[in-house]
Amino acid sequence: MKTKNGASEIAKKIKLIIFDVDGTLTDGCIYMGPEGEAMKAFSARDGMGIALAHKGDIKSAVITGRSSRIMAKRGKELKIDALYQGCVDKRGAYEELKLKLSLRDEEIAYVGDDLNDIPLIQQAGLGCCVGDAVSEVKELALVVADYPGGKGAVREILEFILKEQGKWDSLVSTFTGKKAAEGVSQ
Amino acid sequence: MKTKNGASEIAKKIKLIIFDVDGTLTDGCIYMGPEGEAMKAFSARDGMGIALAHKGDIKSAVITGRSSRIMAKRGKELKIDALYQGCVDKRGAYEELKLKLSLRDEEIAYVGDDLNDIPLIQQAGLGCCVGDAVSEVKELALVVADYPGGKGAVREILEFILKEQGKWDSLVSTFTGKKAAEGVSQ
Amino acid sequence: MKTKNGASEIAKKIKLIIFDVDGTLTDGCIYMGPEGEAMKAFSARDGMGIALAHKGDIKSAVITGRSSRIMAKRGKELKIDALYQGCVDKRGAYEELKLKLSLRDEEIAYVGDDLNDIPLIQQAGLGCCVGDAVSEVKELALVVADYPGGKGAVREILEFILKEQGKWDSLVSTFTGKKAAEGVSQ
Amino acid sequence: MKTKNGASEIAKKIKLIIFDVDGTLTDGCIYMGPEGEAMKAFSARDGMGIALAHKGDIKSAVITGRSSRIMAKRGKELKIDALYQGCVDKRGAYEELKLKLSLRDEEIAYVGDDLNDIPLIQQAGLGCCVGDAVSEVKELALVVADYPGGKGAVREILEFILKEQGKWDSLVSTFTGKKAAEGVSQ
C-alpha cells in the first residue's frame, strides 16, 4: 500500500467509507449474459472486511454509475448502509449522503478505480484507489492499495483505516480469543 | 505498448475503430452453459474507453465470427455504432461498413487477437492487437497492447489514439475539473 | 508448502479433514446474480484430491458461514461425509461432528483462509490454510499451502497428508498400473 | 513446450487427438450453480486450433470422467468427431474409438492434466499434458505445454503437431493471403 499527504491522520477520523462497484468491489469484469448482466464477482474477504468495519463503527455505502439487481442483492447481504445506483454524476449522491449522515468531507473515505471516480476521490477526505486503478486515479488518491479491485483491495484499505483507528487488534481478538493490548487495559 | 511503421501518424487520422469480440473485448473464454453460451466477460474499463472515444468523435464497431445475444446486449450498452456478427469472412462486413460511413482504410483502426483477424489487421490503416494475441498477429499489427484482451487492451489502444489526436487531456479534464492545456488557449 | 511444529507427525494420524468453502474450496469470489448467488468456482483437481482421500480412509466435511444450494450440490458430487452451512460460529458444528465421529482434535485437520477460520485452525490438530490466506491465519496455521484457495490448495494439503500416511504412492499406482513400493511387499 | 523421447517423430503420424475436458479444455474450474453445473470456461483460441486441426485432416475427440450438456454443446460447436462422457475408466472409450476409426496407438495423441489421464497418456502414441498438469502427469507425458489448461495449452499442442506435419504455414496462409513455402512449389 502507498499512502501520502497525511493519509494516516485522516484515516483516524473516518466514519463512512463509500465504494465504487465495477473495478473496486469487483475485478472490473462485466459478465454479460443473453438476458443482461449475468453476475458480478465480489470478494468474500472484502465482505469480511466490511463486516469488521461495521463492528468498528464505520458506516459503508456504495455509489455507482451502473445499475443492477445484482448490486442490490450483494449490498443487502453486506448490510451496506446506503446504496446509490445509476449515478451519471456521483457528486449528487455523495452530497445527499453527507447531509443525511451529518458528516464532513474529512470523515469520509471513497474507493474507486477509474476516471469517473476522480471527483469523489478529490472531494472525500481520504481518496483511495485499488491497485490496478488507471494512472490518473492513482496519481490523485491518497491511498493506493496493493491488491487489485475485487481481489482484496477493499479489505486492505479497511484494514488500514481500522488499524489507524486502533480498532483492528480488538476486532481480530474476537476470533483468536486473545484480548487485544488496548482491550486489556480496562 | 509496442508501435511500429508510423503508427502515431496513422492514429491521428482514425475516425472509426472496429473490435473483434472473443479474446479482444473479452479474455477469450467461451463460458458455455447447458443451454448455450452463458455469458461473456467484458471489461468495465474498456467500456469507459469506448465512451471516451465516442466523446472524442471516434466511431466504434464490432465485427465477429461468433454470434450471440450477449454481444448484442453489450453492444447496445456501449452504444457501439455498428455490430456485425456471425462473419465467417470478416472482410465483407468491413467493406460494407467502410462504404456506409464513407471512410478510407487509413481512417480505420481494427483490434484483434487471432488468425481470423489477420485480413482486417492488414487492411485497416491501424492494425492493432491485444497483448496476448497469437504470434502471427503480433508480427503483423502496427500496435501491440501491453494488456491482454478483456483486461484493458482496448482501453490502452483507445487512449493511445485519443492522445495522438490531442483529445485525451481534454476528455480527462471533464472528470478532474482542470482545463486541459490545449483547452485553455482558446 | 510451509509446515511447522511437528505437522508431519500430526498429519500421520488425521482421520477427518474439514474445509471452509469461500476462499478455501473456491477462489473467494462471490459470484452474485440478479436472483442471488449464481455459482461458485470449485477446482476439479481439489475434487480428485478429495476422492483420493476417501479411498485412503480419510473422511471429509465442510463447515461454512454462508449457506447455499450450490455447496450442497458440490458436496453431494464430492461425496463429502458431512456438510454444515450457515455457521456464524463454526465451533458448534465442529464439536457436533467430533462427537458424532468419536474423534479427538489431533485426528482432525481443518483448512481455512480468513479470520473466522481461526478458532478451528487453533482447535483442530492440524490447522491448515490456503496460500493466499490472510496474514493472521497464515501465522497460526501449522500447514500453509503454496497454491491459493480454489486453485489447488486443498489438493496440495490432501497430498501432504496422504504422503505422510504412506498412502499416496499406492493411490497413484491405481492409475499408473505400477504397484507402489509398500504394496509390493505383501 | 517441453518434448522428449522422439515426440517430433510421433507427432508427424498423428491422425486423431483426444482431449480430457476439466483442466485441459477448461481451466479446471467447476462452476457450480444452484441447479448443478452452471458453465465451463473454454478457450476461443483452443477452438480455432481445433478448427485448424480439422482442416489439416486431424480428427478430434473428447473422453471425460464427468458428464454434462455443457460439453455436448461445446463439442457440437467445435465439430468434435467423437464425444465420450461419464467414463470412470477412460480406456474403454479409447479402445472403442480406436477400433471405430481403425487407428493404431501411434496415430493417436491424448491431452490431459490429472491422475485419471495417466492410463491414456501412457497408451496413446503421443501423451501430452497442459502446463499446469499435476507432477505425476508431467513426468509421463512426451509433450508438456507451456500454457495452462483452458488458456491455450490445446492450441499450443495442436500447433506443434500441425507444424511437425508441415501443415501449419499452409493453414496460416489462408488468413494472410500469402502462399506457404510448401504450397508454392507445386
Side-chain angles (χ1 to χ4, degrees):
Chain A
M1 172 175 283
K2 282 172 199 153
T3 60
K4 56 187 169 190
N5 295 350
S8 293
E9 287 314 302
I10 301 168
K12 288 180 176 49
K13 302 174 203 150
I14 295 303
K15 293 183 178 164
L16 167 69
I17 183 160
I18 305 173
F19 306 108
D20 166 55
V21 177
D22 299 292
T24 301
L25 282 176
T26 81
D27 61 359
C29 280
I30 304 292
Y31 294 102
M32 185 65 69
E35 311 302 334
E37 202 169 356
M39 60 184 213
K40 288 182 188 291
F42 297 95
S43 153
R45 280 172 219 166
D46 282 357
M48 171 70 79
I50 292 170
L52 293 174
H54 291 167
K55 280 193 193 174
D57 286 323
I58 295 172
K59 283 189 160 50
S60 65
V62 160
I63 301 180
T64 170
R66 288 176 68 89
S67 190
S68 69
R69 285 171 60 197
I70 297 168
M71 187 57 236
K73 283 267 177 191
R74 181 65 175 159
K76 203 174 168 184
E77 199 173 74
L78 294 171
K79 294 173 187 158
I80 293 282
D81 294 286
L83 171 60
Y84 295 87
Q85 297 203 90
C87 304
V88 179
D89 186 325
K90 297 184 172 193
R91 282 172 289 199
Y94 178 91
E95 290 300 337
E96 190 181 314
L97 185 58
K98 198 172 82 167
L99 201 68
K100 199 173 151 192
L101 299 178
S102 303
L103 294 172
R104 287 164 302 139
D105 288 330
E106 55 266 43
E107 296 169 320
I108 302 175
Y110 179 83
V111 193
D113 75 304
D114 208 343
L115 296 176
N116 59 335
D117 295 312
I118 287 179
L120 294 193
I121 283 176
Q122 290 179 317
Q123 190 173 347
L126 194 68
C128 310
C129 73
V130 301
D132 56 340
V134 300
S135 60
E136 292 85 357
V137 165
K138 280 185 165 176
E139 212 174 283
L140 292 166
L142 299 192
V143 176
V144 180
D146 288 332
Y147 285 93
K151 305 282 181 195
V154 161
R155 170 70 166 262
E156 184 187 352
I157 291 165
L158 287 166
E159 196 173 317
F160 165 71
I161 294 171
L162 289 165
K163 281 179 175 171
E164 290 297 335
Q165 299 192 354
K167 297 169 181 169
W168 182 253
D169 289 346
S170 169
L171 288 164
V172 170
S173 74
T174 63
F175 298 104
T176 59
K178 280 187 263 180
K179 283 265 176 188
E182 71 268 41
V184 169
S185 63
Q186 56 154 167
Chain B
M1 172 174 283
K2 281 172 201 152
T3 60
K4 55 188 170 190
N5 295 350
S8 293
E9 287 314 302
I10 302 168
K12 288 180 176 48
K13 300 173 205 152
I14 296 303
K15 293 183 178 165
L16 167 70
I17 183 160
I18 305 173
F19 306 108
D20 166 55
V21 177
D22 299 292
T24 301
L25 282 176
T26 82
D27 62 358
C29 279
I30 304 292
Y31 294 103
M32 186 66 68
E35 311 302 333
E37 201 169 355
M39 59 183 214
K40 288 182 188 290
F42 296 94
S43 154
R45 280 171 219 166
D46 282 356
M48 171 70 80
I50 292 170
L52 293 175
H54 290 168
K55 280 194 194 173
D57 285 323
I58 294 172
K59 284 188 159 52
S60 65
V62 159
I63 301 180
T64 170
R66 287 178 70 89
S67 191
S68 70
R69 285 171 60 197
I70 297 167
M71 186 58 236
K73 283 268 177 191
R74 181 64 176 160
K76 202 173 169 186
E77 199 173 75
L78 293 171
K79 294 174 187 156
I80 292 281
D81 295 287
L83 171 60
Y84 295 88
Q85 297 203 89
C87 304
V88 179
D89 186 326
K90 297 185 172 194
R91 282 172 290 199
Y94 178 91
E95 290 300 337
E96 190 181 315
L97 184 58
K98 198 172 83 168
L99 200 68
K100 199 173 151 192
L101 299 178
S102 303
L103 294 173
R104 286 165 301 140
D105 288 330
E106 55 265 44
E107 296 168 321
I108 302 175
Y110 179 82
V111 192
D113 75 305
D114 208 341
L115 296 176
N116 59 336
D117 296 311
I118 287 180
L120 294 193
I121 283 176
Q122 290 179 315
Q123 190 173 347
L126 194 68
C128 311
C129 73
V130 301
D132 57 340
V134 299
S135 60
E136 292 85 355
V137 165
K138 280 185 165 177
E139 212 174 282
L140 292 166
L142 299 191
V143 176
V144 179
D146 288 332
Y147 285 93
K151 305 282 180 196
V154 161
R155 171 67 167 264
E156 184 187 353
I157 291 165
L158 287 167
E159 196 173 316
F160 165 71
I161 294 172
L162 289 165
K163 281 179 176 170
E164 289 296 334
Q165 299 192 353
K167 297 169 180 170
W168 182 253
D169 289 346
S170 170
L171 288 164
V172 170
S173 74
T174 63
F175 298 104
T176 59
K178 280 186 262 180
K179 283 265 176 188
E182 71 268 41
V184 169
S185 64
Q186 58 155 167
Chain C
M1 173 174 283
K2 282 172 200 152
T3 60
K4 55 188 171 191
N5 294 352
S8 294
E9 286 315 302
I10 302 168
K12 288 180 176 48
K13 302 174 204 150
I14 296 303
K15 293 184 179 164
L16 167 69
I17 183 161
I18 305 174
F19 307 108
D20 166 55
V21 177
D22 299 292
T24 301
L25 283 176
T26 81
D27 61 359
C29 279
I30 304 292
Y31 294 103
M32 186 65 69
E35 310 302 333
E37 202 170 355
M39 60 184 213
K40 288 181 187 292
F42 296 94
S43 154
R45 279 170 220 168
D46 282 356
M48 170 71 79
I50 292 170
L52 292 175
H54 290 167
K55 280 193 194 175
D57 286 323
I58 295 171
K59 284 189 160 51
S60 65
V62 160
I63 301 180
T64 170
R66 288 176 69 89
S67 190
S68 69
R69 285 171 61 197
I70 297 168
M71 186 57 236
K73 283 268 177 191
R74 181 63 176 160
K76 203 175 168 186
E77 199 173 76
L78 293 172
K79 294 172 187 155
I80 292 282
D81 294 286
L83 171 61
Y84 296 87
Q85 297 203 91
C87 304
V88 179
D89 186 326
K90 296 185 173 193
R91 281 171 290 199
Y94 178 91
E95 290 301 337
E96 190 181 316
L97 185 57
K98 198 172 81 168
L99 201 67
K100 199 174 151 192
L101 299 179
S102 303
L103 294 173
R104 286 166 301 139
D105 287 330
E106 54 265 44
E107 295 169 319
I108 302 175
Y110 180 82
V111 193
D113 76 305
D114 209 341
L115 297 175
N116 60 335
D117 296 311
I118 287 180
L120 294 193
I121 283 176
Q122 289 179 316
Q123 190 174 346
L126 194 68
C128 311
C129 73
V130 301
D132 56 341
V134 300
S135 60
E136 292 83 357
V137 166
K138 281 186 165 177
E139 212 173 283
L140 293 166
L142 299 192
V143 176
V144 180
D146 288 331
Y147 285 92
K151 305 283 181 196
V154 162
R155 170 70 166 262
E156 184 187 353
I157 291 165
L158 286 167
E159 196 173 315
F160 165 71
I161 294 172
L162 289 166
K163 281 180 175 170
E164 289 297 334
Q165 299 192 353
K167 297 170 181 169
W168 181 254
D169 289 346
S170 169
L171 288 165
V172 170
S173 73
T174 62
F175 298 105
T176 58
K178 279 186 263 181
K179 282 266 176 188
E182 70 268 40
V184 169
S185 63
Q186 57 153 167
Chain D
M1 173 175 284
K2 282 172 200 153
T3 60
K4 55 187 170 190
N5 294 352
S8 293
E9 286 315 301
I10 302 167
K12 287 180 176 48
K13 301 175 204 151
I14 296 303
K15 292 183 178 165
L16 167 69
I17 184 160
I18 305 173
F19 306 108
D20 166 56
V21 177
D22 299 292
T24 302
L25 282 176
T26 82
D27 61 359
C29 280
I30 304 291
Y31 293 103
M32 187 65 68
E35 310 301 333
E37 202 170 355
M39 60 183 212
K40 288 182 187 291
F42 297 94
S43 153
R45 280 171 219 166
D46 282 357
M48 171 69 79
I50 292 170
L52 292 175
H54 291 167
K55 279 194 194 174
D57 286 324
I58 294 172
K59 284 188 158 52
S60 64
V62 160
I63 300 180
T64 170
R66 286 177 70 89
S67 190
S68 69
R69 284 172 60 197
I70 297 167
M71 186 58 236
K73 282 268 177 191
R74 181 65 175 159
K76 203 175 168 185
E77 199 173 76
L78 294 171
K79 294 174 187 157
I80 292 282
D81 295 286
L83 172 60
Y84 295 88
Q85 297 203 90
C87 304
V88 179
D89 186 327
K90 296 185 173 195
R91 281 172 291 198
Y94 178 91
E95 290 300 336
E96 191 181 314
L97 185 58
K98 198 171 83 167
L99 201 69
K100 199 173 151 192
L101 299 178
S102 302
L103 294 173
R104 286 165 301 140
D105 287 331
E106 55 265 43
E107 296 168 321
I108 302 175
Y110 180 83
V111 193
D113 75 305
D114 208 342
L115 296 176
N116 60 335
D117 296 311
I118 287 180
L120 294 193
I121 283 176
Q122 289 179 316
Q123 190 173 345
L126 194 68
C128 310
C129 74
V130 301
D132 56 341
V134 300
S135 61
E136 292 84 357
V137 166
K138 279 185 166 177
E139 211 174 284
L140 293 166
L142 299 191
V143 177
V144 180
D146 288 332
Y147 285 93
K151 303 285 180 196
V154 161
R155 171 69 166 263
E156 185 187 352
I157 291 165
L158 287 167
E159 197 173 315
F160 165 70
I161 294 172
L162 289 165
K163 280 180 176 170
E164 289 296 334
Q165 299 193 353
K167 295 169 181 171
W168 182 254
D169 289 346
S170 169
L171 288 165
V172 170
S173 74
T174 63
F175 297 105
T176 59
K178 279 188 264 179
K179 283 267 175 187
E182 71 267 41
V184 169
S185 63
Q186 58 151 168

